[in-house]
Amino acid sequence: MSWSRAYACCSSPLDMLLIFFLVCIIYVSATNKPNIVLILTDDQDISSIYSMPKTQKLIADVGASFVNSFCSTPICCPSRSSILTGQYLHNHGVFNNSRSGGCYSAHWRTIKEPLAFPVYLQSAGYKTFYAGKYLNQYGSAHKTKNPIPPGWDVWYGLIGNSKYYDYSLVINGKIKHFKNDYFTSVIESSGIEFLQSVGMKKEKFLMVLATSAPHDPFTPESKYKGRFNGTKAPRTPNFNTFTKDKHWLLRLGDVPLPDSMVDTIDTIHARRLETLLSVDDMVEKVVLELKKFNLVEETVIIFTSDNGYHLGQFSLPWDKRQPYEFDIRVPLFIRGPSIKPKSVIYSPVVNIDLAPTILDLAGISTPDSMDGSSWLPLLKKTASNKISPRTFLVEYHGEGNRKSIDEKCGLKDPNLKECRVRNDCKCQDARNNTYFCLRSISETDDLSYCEFQDSENFIEYYDLKTDQYQLNNLRHSLSSSLQNKYSSRLKILQHCSGPICNELQV
């Protein structure tokens, strides 16, 4: 309504005053919404964050750190699908990294992708930007050529899985190949260009920067290669240990690992840390660019990863896909307006909460389609450091392939049919490496209860209050009543949808 029309419809100065205040409220509400930057790494375990001092200084130290941050499934494409939709795996239907398993499938593109959080922000007036790895099968065989997913105004999407050199991007609908340009540097430069554009126009924006680091093939930028030579993977109590009372997959192969394999693990750890140095530089440059346009005080910056990673724990060489803490815990930092510096949040949060949180920042209510919930209220309770209880689901569906591990390793086990071989005859992804876990954290409890869908119907149960490294499987000490309780609640979570997913407690 124009001011002339407003004046015409008003019969008194009081009416005009009321309209004036209403317009002011609407204006303040719109301008109070922050800009949002999400920086997403790939396969980053929490032990590697020490290699990123700039990220700690510029985000964690001036904002909040979540020490109990988890992914709901420890594998790239399903986890990223959960981040985008706020849904558990069983609801978004992306079960693994293959097209047949739902990764960038027709179901994803037509049913789930239109419900991703950027769609809501774009509709609310945010200028949206994405640069980096999207979903593992993005750009592979499908009917739509060079697609730009819904919700994005500016798009720099990596075709396929993580790379550092010799890759192709879909840039606003057109493919461009990069031979010698380091991927993190291209993400950084495109992000800086976007910030300059919105900074000049003073537009509200959402920017996502999704690096390949520190994912396989662990290729550092040339200036950082060798920086961490000699650095060993953390020798935690579960490093290279005997795994007699773990599910069948962990009982395969050499235990402990041979010295040559341990040396390889240490080398991979060093290269992973070196890839993160370029991400650390990118974080610094993004913050400096925001400061240049006086935007840093009205911008929320979130740093996290899609899933964790293991390097030698329980004699598993290197990969993810397991239900243990090293694969499901992820770093999570946030800085922004009204967030108390150096806050530490102990309440558990999950990757399905990220979409509702971003919507909450933009003043948008969480849709009923989302299983997660905003963790912004937790930032207001930092003074007490009390844990808000949470029971959540960790689920994984084994993928496998057409090749049997028997062909290379000669291991005769019926579980090994269609099992991907990697890492000195360690089977990293059998089709029956499928499990559902109840993970619960409160002031009094910290537990993990897992049921495996294998030939043994194996169960693993850990009390992490007393066994931080999950060395002792307490399944034999579970009473039948307690096991039935955990199992029944787990089944509820396996089929939950929407807000009820956050209401269950053990």
Side-chain angles (χ1 to χ4, degrees), residues 305-424:
S305 179
D306 53 2
N307 49 260
Y309 206 72
H310 59 252
L311 287 161
Q313 293 97 329
F314 297 140
S315 297
L316 290 166
W318 59 88
D319 201 58
K320 53 263 187 179
R321 300 179 170 88
Q322 294 299 318
Y324 307 109
E325 296 293 281
F326 41 74
D327 282 1
I328 65 173
R329 283 184 176 268
V330 293
L332 176 59
F333 307 137
I334 180 173
R335 67 168 287 173
S338 304
I339 297 177
K340 184 180 177 182
K342 295 187 177 181
S343 300
V344 179
I345 312 299
Y346 293 93
S347 297
V349 296
V350 192
N351 60 353
I352 58 171
D353 300 331
L354 194 54
T357 300
I358 290 174
L359 295 184
D360 196 5
L361 285 165
I364 302 169
S365 299
T366 301
D368 288 340
S369 64
M370 293 188 176
D371 305 327
S373 61
S374 171
W375 37 255
L376 290 189
L378 298 176
L379 296 171
K380 301 174 183 179
K381 301 178 182 178
T382 56
S384 66
N385 282 335
K386 286 187 177 180
I387 295 177
S388 297
R390 181 78 176 271
T391 298
F392 58 93
L393 177 68
V394 178
E395 55 185 329
Y396 181 74
H397 290 249
E399 180 178 350
N401 62 20
R402 296 178 181 176
K403 206 168 188 178
S404 169
I405 194 172
D406 294 4
E407 296 176 21
K408 177 181 178 183
C409 302
L411 296 173
K412 304 298 182 183
D413 189 311
N415 288 320
L416 300 183
K417 185 179 180 182
E418 298 186 336
C419 181
R420 188 164 66 89
V421 183
R422 280 192 63 187
N423 310 339
D424 196 37

Side-chain angles (χ1 to χ4, degrees), residues 27-44:
Y27 174 78
V28 170
S29 176
T31 55
N32 274 350
K33 302 297 182 289
N35 305 307
I36 302 167
V37 176
L38 171 62
I39 299 171
L40 182 67
T41 56
D42 195 355
D43 287 2
Q44 185 176 5

Side-chain angles (χ1 to χ4, degrees), residues 111-124:
I111 305 300
K112 294 301 179 180
E113 202 171 39
L115 300 177
F117 72 80
V119 175
Y120 295 93
L121 268 73
Q122 187 184 56
S123 298

Side-chain angles (χ1 to χ4, degrees), residues 54 87 109 113 119 139 234 238 241 309 422 489-490 495:
K54 297 173 183 176
Q87 291 184 335
R109 298 193 306 273
E113 202 171 39
V119 175
N238 54 11
T241 56
Y309 206 72
R422 280 192 63 187
R489 280 160 174 73
L490 181 57
H495 300 94

Side-chain angles (χ1 to χ4, degrees), residues 65-333:
S65 303
F66 289 78
V67 297
N68 284 313
S69 174
F70 297 86
C71 65
S72 57
T73 182
I75 188 69
C76 300
C77 198
S79 179
R80 289 164 179 264
S81 301
S82 290
I83 288 170
L84 287 163
T85 62
Q87 291 184 335
Y88 279 124
L89 177 157
H90 62 267
N91 287 326
H92 61 59
V94 179
F95 292 95
N96 53 51
N97 286 342
S98 68
R99 285 197 305 275
S100 61
C103 184
Y104 205 67
S105 64
H107 176 265
W108 165 262
R109 298 193 306 273
T110 58
I111 305 300
K112 294 301 179 180
E113 202 171 39
L115 300 177
F117 72 80
V119 175
Y120 295 93
L121 268 73
Q122 187 184 56
S123 298
Y126 275 72
K127 185 81 169 181
T128 59
F129 172 90
Y130 193 101
K133 175 179 174 179
Y134 185 55
L135 302 179
N136 298 53
Q137 299 297 328
Y138 171 77
S140 59
H142 45 71
K143 293 181 180 179
T144 306
K145 188 177 181 181
N146 310 337
I148 301 173
W152 302 106
D153 294 308
V154 186
W155 178 258
Y156 286 67
L158 175 69
I159 294 178
N161 202 4
S162 292
K163 290 187 176 182
Y164 297 86
Y165 293 105
D166 195 17
Y167 54 89
S168 294
L169 299 180
V170 174
I171 302 178
N172 298 324
K174 297 181 179 180
I175 295 178
K176 181 177 180 180
H177 185 73
F178 295 81
K179 181 71 175 177
N180 299 311
D181 297 284
Y182 195 66
F183 186 39
T184 306
S185 298
V186 171
I187 294 173
E188 175 192 295
S189 60
S190 62
I192 295 301
E193 182 180 346
F194 173 74
L195 288 178
Q196 291 170 349
S197 172
V198 293
M200 294 290 291
K201 298 175 184 177
K202 302 299 181 184
E203 295 176 287
K204 287 294 177 186
F205 66 87
L206 162 71
M207 181 171 80
V208 178
L209 305 176
T211 75
S212 288
H215 192 284
D216 183 1
F218 324 115
T219 308
E221 196 172 356
S222 56
K223 66 181 178 180
Y224 288 130
K225 189 174 182 179
R227 179 68 63 89
F228 283 97
N229 277 351
T231 303
K232 296 182 182 297
R235 296 317 198 244
T236 52
N238 54 11
F239 182 83
N240 208 14
T241 56
F242 186 53
T243 54
K244 181 179 180 180
D245 202 23
K246 298 288 189 291
H247 69 108
W248 68 272
L249 193 149
L250 272 71
R251 303 196 297 267
L252 296 177
D254 291 329
V255 181
L257 297 168
D259 291 343
S260 60
M261 181 59 66
V262 174
D263 290 342
T264 301
I265 289 170
D266 288 337
T267 299
I268 289 174
H269 177 62
R271 298 295 85 82
R272 282 168 55 83
L273 297 180
E274 289 161 6
T275 67
L276 289 169
L277 293 176
S278 299
V279 182
D280 208 33
D281 289 342
M282 183 182 73
V283 170
E284 180 183 48
K285 289 179 182 178
V286 165
V287 173
L288 289 175
E289 199 67 24
L290 289 169
K291 288 182 177 179
K292 185 185 300 184
F293 288 97
N294 297 317
L295 294 173
V296 73
E297 298 304 324
E298 54 190 75
T299 300
V300 169
I301 305 176
I302 302 170
F303 178 92
T304 191
S305 179
D306 53 2
N307 49 260
Y309 206 72
H310 59 252
L311 287 161
Q313 293 97 329
F314 297 140
S315 297
L316 290 166
W318 59 88
D319 201 58
K320 53 263 187 179
R321 300 179 170 88
Q322 294 299 318
Y324 307 109
E325 296 293 281
F326 41 74
D327 282 1
I328 65 173
R329 283 184 176 268
V330 293
L332 176 59
F333 307 137

